[in-house]
């Protein structure tokens, strides 16, 4: 009876939430929902075969004929030979949008099988001008286009997403707007209706609350769009195609972008920061019941906080470079490679665990202490690094709610850093042999944990199960580490 009542309560809760969220306001600017440096990846499936992916990155700010906007680097690769059609489409280049998401231009290269063509358009007042190529020969182009017109091309999900993000949505709304379609060079219409808002199963174990939007033009499709401006799924039933938003990645932000982090945003994130601090020190208390606030502890914690600068300015740029060099090309052709993904995160394991072993003797030297305090120092270094890294990452990509999968992942990583720091400190106390062994284990475990998200694009594990797996592995790591360290008391 209790179980049945709980199920009814949960269903009612979701029902009430769905009824309450029947509308959402437009983003104030394009950069509000897609910050500079963000990459979104959509995967295309036709009759259960993966055709390829669209990779869309907000590269930088720009000006087109005096109007400010943003540059999107797009690459779409679709291999229809996998379903018996000998056509391979490869489109890459830059798409320009204004601050309110409307069209400013394109500079694209098309390769259909082996035939290459170009398209270069710019918005100039009430006209779109430029050129296209036909069999390699440039042909001038011009078409009238009024202000504040969106551009949408078939298969470019980021175009559809921008259109939906930059308008108010309400269940029952009719959509009817004139749009420009760059690949055809024609004006067209986007028409449809917002038919509902509900809790939907989108893919296997992926569930979310979404607006359901049915378009009749420029083609018949069913779209699933979240209030926080993500186009999670598209069904094109006439050709049995499904398109999924598989990944969102934010590259390290520049100093200029960091300065845009406002006091309002800081206050909004205070609950998350509080959770990080509490989790960090509770985990440390499992190893030390005293001395956390001693001179050794506070200095170690401070150095741990400062060491995140190495993560931001060294580790993340290296990972971003390797991601573009190794992993992005494989996902662009629909062959997401776990091995290539693994290569991009190896520097994280080496740098972060290396920081701990470098900082422990550094603190001991600064404070003129013997090895007796190495475990305390390692533990508090881990607390500082874990809290600082988690706080930095949520400041880049804000969580939508305090209890979320993203925050659970961050909490698991804070615990990992505390445990790893304590274990490396214990190994440092016990000699070179144990130190080499433990350092190798913590580096390997760091790399393994960071490699788990690369199982999602290849459909082995959904992201929710990966986050749960994070937590389970970290808890096992905690129990094993406590058993090793607590066999003797080193709290001297």
């Amino acid at each position: 009876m209790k179980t049945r009542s709980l199920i009814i309560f949960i269903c009612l809760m979701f029902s009430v939430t769905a009824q309450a969220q029947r509308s959402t306001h437009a983003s104030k600017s394009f950069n509000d929902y897609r910050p500079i440096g963000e990459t979104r990846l959509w995967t295309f499936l036709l009759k259960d075969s993966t055709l390829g992916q669209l990779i869309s990155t907000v590269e930088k700010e720009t000006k087109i004929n005096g109007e400010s906007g943003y540059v999107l680097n797009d690459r779409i690769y679709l291999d229809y030979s996998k379903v018996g059609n000998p056509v391979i489409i490869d489109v890459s280049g830059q798409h320009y949008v204004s601050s309110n998401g409307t069209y400013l231009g394109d500079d694209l290269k098309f390769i259909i099988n082996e035939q290459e063509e170009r398209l270069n358009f710019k918005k100039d007042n009430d006209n779109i001008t430029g050129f296209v190529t036909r069999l390699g020969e440039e042909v001038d182009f011009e078409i009238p286009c009024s202000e504040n017109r969106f551009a949408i091309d078939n298969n470019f999900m980021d175009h559809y997403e921008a259109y939906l993000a930059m308008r108010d949505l309400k269940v029952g709304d009719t959509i009817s707007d004139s749009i420009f379609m760059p690949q055809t060079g024609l004006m067209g219409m986007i028409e449809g209706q917002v038919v509902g808002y509900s809790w939907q199963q989108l893919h296997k174990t992926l569930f979310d609350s979404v607006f359901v939007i049915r378009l009749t033009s420029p083609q018949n499709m069913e779209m699933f769009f979240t209030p926080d401006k993500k186009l999670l799924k598209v069904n094109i039933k006439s050709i049995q195609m499904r398109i999924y938003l598989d990944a969102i990645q934010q590259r390290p932000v520049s100093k200029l972008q960091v300065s845009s982090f406002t006091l309002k945003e800081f206050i909004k994130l205070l609950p998350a920061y509080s959770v990080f601090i509490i989790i960090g020190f509770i985990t440390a208390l499992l190893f030390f019941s005293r001395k956390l606030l001693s001179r050794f502890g506070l200095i170690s914690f401070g150095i741990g906080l400062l060491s995140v600068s190495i993560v931001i300015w060294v580790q993340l740029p290296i990972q971003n470079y390797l991601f573009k060099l190794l992993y992005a090309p494989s996902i662009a052709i629909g062959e997401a490679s776990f091995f290539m993904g693994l290569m991009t995160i190896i520097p994280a394991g080496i740098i972060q665990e290396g920081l701990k072993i470098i900082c422990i003797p550094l603190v001991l030297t600064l404070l003129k202490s013997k090895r007796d305090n190495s475990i305390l120092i390692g533990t508090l270094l881990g607390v500082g690094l874990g809290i600082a890294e988690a706080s930095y990452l949520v400041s880049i990509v804000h969580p939508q709610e305090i209890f979320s999968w993203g925050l659970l992942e961050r909490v698991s990583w804070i615990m990992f850093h505390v445990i790893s720091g304590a274990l490396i400190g214990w190994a440092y106390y016990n000699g070179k042999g144990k130190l080499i062994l433990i350092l190798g284990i913590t580096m390997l475990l760091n790399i393994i944990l960071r490699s788990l998200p690369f199982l999602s694009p290849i459909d082995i594990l959904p992201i929710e199960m990966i986050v749960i797996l994070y937590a389970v592995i970290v808890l096992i790591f905690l129990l094993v580490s406590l058993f090793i360290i607590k066999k003797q008391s080193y709290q001297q």
Side-chain angles (χ1 to χ4, degrees):
M1 182 66 183
K2 289 182 179 179
T3 303
R4 183 180 298 176
S5 299
L6 179 61
I7 293 171
I8 292 171
F9 171 76
I10 293 171
C11 291
L12 287 172
M13 180 182 68
F14 284 127
S15 174
V16 169
T17 302
Q19 291 300 316
Q21 182 69 63
R22 295 179 62 84
S23 64
T24 186
H25 293 297
S27 293
K28 293 180 180 178
S29 73
F30 179 84
N31 197 43
D32 278 350
Y33 91 96
R34 289 206 64 184
I36 293 174
E38 186 205 70
T39 296
R40 298 196 178 195
L41 182 149
W42 284 269
T43 299
F44 291 70
L45 288 85
L46 184 62
K47 301 176 182 178
D48 294 323
S49 295
T50 301
L51 296 184
Q53 270 109 0
L54 163 66
I55 303 173
S56 171
T57 301
V58 185
E59 188 63 28
K60 59 184 179 180
E61 293 185 60
T62 190
K63 275 196 174 183
I64 303 294
N65 292 322
E67 186 169 357
S68 298
Y70 300 93
V71 179
L72 277 71
N73 278 343
D74 281 354
R75 169 99 188 272
I76 186 167
Y77 183 96
L78 300 176
D79 183 0
Y80 286 89
S81 66
K82 296 180 179 180
V83 291
N85 188 343
V87 174
I88 297 176
I89 298 173
D90 187 352
V91 183
S92 60
Q94 297 182 325
H95 178 66
Y96 310 113
V97 297
S98 69
S99 59
N100 61 6
T102 55
Y103 186 66
L104 290 183
D106 277 295
D107 186 4
L108 301 175
K109 178 175 70 174
F110 299 83
I111 302 176
I112 311 298
N113 292 341
E114 297 182 358
Q115 178 64 42
E116 181 177 324
E117 302 290 356
R118 287 282 310 280
L119 178 156
N120 188 299
F121 295 156
K122 296 291 188 297
K123 183 78 164 57
D124 186 7
N125 296 322
D126 289 335
N127 293 291
I128 296 172
T129 60
F131 69 85
V132 295
T133 62
R134 298 285 184 263
L135 299 177
E137 295 293 325
E138 288 189 11
V139 179
D140 289 339
F141 177 86
E142 183 172 357
I143 189 173
C145 180
S146 61
E147 295 293 326
N148 297 319
R149 192 73 69 207
F150 284 84
I152 296 178
D153 264 330
N154 284 340
N155 296 326
F156 281 83
M157 295 301 110
D158 54 339
H159 297 186
Y160 285 101
E161 187 181 64
Y163 173 81
L164 295 173
M166 301 308 298
R167 62 166 288 151
D168 293 337
L169 290 177
K170 181 181 178 182
V171 174
D173 278 355
T174 296
I175 296 171
S176 182
D177 278 314
S178 177
I179 58 171
F180 176 59
M181 301 181 292
Q183 291 184 43
T184 63
L186 300 172
M187 301 301 295
M189 294 292 295
I190 180 169
E191 297 179 307
Q193 188 173 23
V194 183
V195 298
Y197 179 87
S198 60
W199 182 252
Q200 294 270 342
Q201 180 176 10
L202 301 172
H203 176 59
K204 294 181 180 177
T205 59
L206 175 60
F207 295 80
D208 211 333
S209 296
V210 291
F211 288 96
V212 181
I213 301 162
R214 294 193 182 126
L215 297 184
T216 55
S217 180
Q219 66 182 123
N220 286 307
M221 58 174 62
E222 184 178 44
M223 315 183 93
F224 301 88
F225 184 74
T226 65
D228 60 341
K229 320 304 181 187
K230 297 182 180 70
L231 183 54
L232 292 184
K233 180 182 178 181
V234 175
N235 285 333
I236 307 177
K237 295 181 180 179
S238 60
I239 56 174
Q240 299 181 49
M241 178 178 280
R242 289 167 291 131
I243 306 164
Y244 295 98
L245 177 60
D246 268 345
I248 298 177
Q249 183 187 43
Q250 176 65 41
R251 74 182 178 203
V253 297
S254 67
K255 293 180 183 179
L256 178 63
Q257 288 171 281
V258 170
S259 66
S260 66
F261 184 66
T262 64
L263 177 61
K264 182 180 178 181
E265 291 169 333
F266 174 78
I267 294 172
K268 185 178 179 180
L269 288 170
L270 280 176
Y273 297 151
S274 301
V275 170
F276 297 156
I277 293 169
I278 291 168
I279 292 297
F281 280 97
I282 285 178
T283 308
L285 282 170
L286 296 175
F287 295 94
F288 280 88
S289 57
R290 57 190 177 87
K291 295 184 70 173
L292 287 183
L293 299 180
S294 67
R295 181 173 59 133
F296 288 97
L298 292 175
I299 290 176
S300 302
F301 175 69
I303 291 177
L305 290 175
L306 293 175
S307 67
V308 80
S309 61
I310 304 298
V311 173
I312 296 170
W313 295 330
V314 178
Q315 175 201 314
L316 293 180
I318 291 173
Q319 285 186 256
N320 188 55
Y321 173 77
L322 292 175
F323 181 87
K324 288 185 175 180
L325 180 69
L326 301 175
Y327 190 64
S330 68
I331 55 180
I333 61 174
E335 298 176 359
S337 168
F338 176 79
F339 176 75
M340 289 301 179
L342 179 64
M343 293 297 101
T344 69
I345 48 85
I346 287 176
I350 295 173
I351 290 172
Q352 291 189 355
E353 302 312 303
L355 278 172
K356 294 165 191 171
I357 191 54
I358 290 171
C359 290
I360 289 172
L362 174 64
V363 176
L364 289 172
T365 303
L366 286 174
L367 299 178
K368 298 179 181 179
S369 173
K370 296 180 181 180
R371 294 190 176 198
D372 296 0
N373 289 296
S374 59
I375 306 176
L376 172 65
I377 292 169
T379 303
L380 270 295
L381 281 168
V383 174
L385 176 59
I387 291 172
E389 182 190 33
S391 300
Y392 172 74
L393 292 175
V394 299
S395 299
I396 296 173
V397 182
H398 300 179
Q400 295 301 311
E401 51 191 20
I402 187 61
F403 298 106
S404 65
W405 293 110
L407 282 176
L408 177 58
E409 179 204 12
R410 288 293 99 218
V411 164
S412 298
W413 273 109
I414 292 170
M415 293 180 65
F416 173 85
H417 284 306
V418 179
I419 301 161
S420 169
L423 201 55
I424 290 173
W426 171 85
Y428 185 83
Y429 180 91
N430 282 279
K432 186 177 179 180
K434 285 187 172 63
L435 179 60
I436 292 172
L437 175 63
I438 292 299
L439 194 58
I441 290 172
T442 57
M443 284 183 178
L444 182 61
L445 188 55
N446 190 312
I447 292 167
I448 289 172
L449 286 171
R450 291 181 189 280
S451 70
L452 293 179
F454 292 107
L455 297 174
S456 180
I458 56 178
D459 291 331
I460 293 179
L461 282 177
I463 198 67
E464 294 82 2
M465 289 302 299
I466 290 170
V467 175
I468 292 171
L469 190 56
Y470 270 143
V472 171
I473 292 173
V474 169
L475 287 174
I476 293 172
F477 184 41
L478 172 63
L479 293 174
V480 172
S481 300
L482 284 172
F483 175 76
I484 292 171
I485 293 173
K486 292 293 185 178
K487 284 199 297 183
Q488 293 180 325
S489 175
Y490 296 98
Q491 299 186 38
Q492 300 176 12

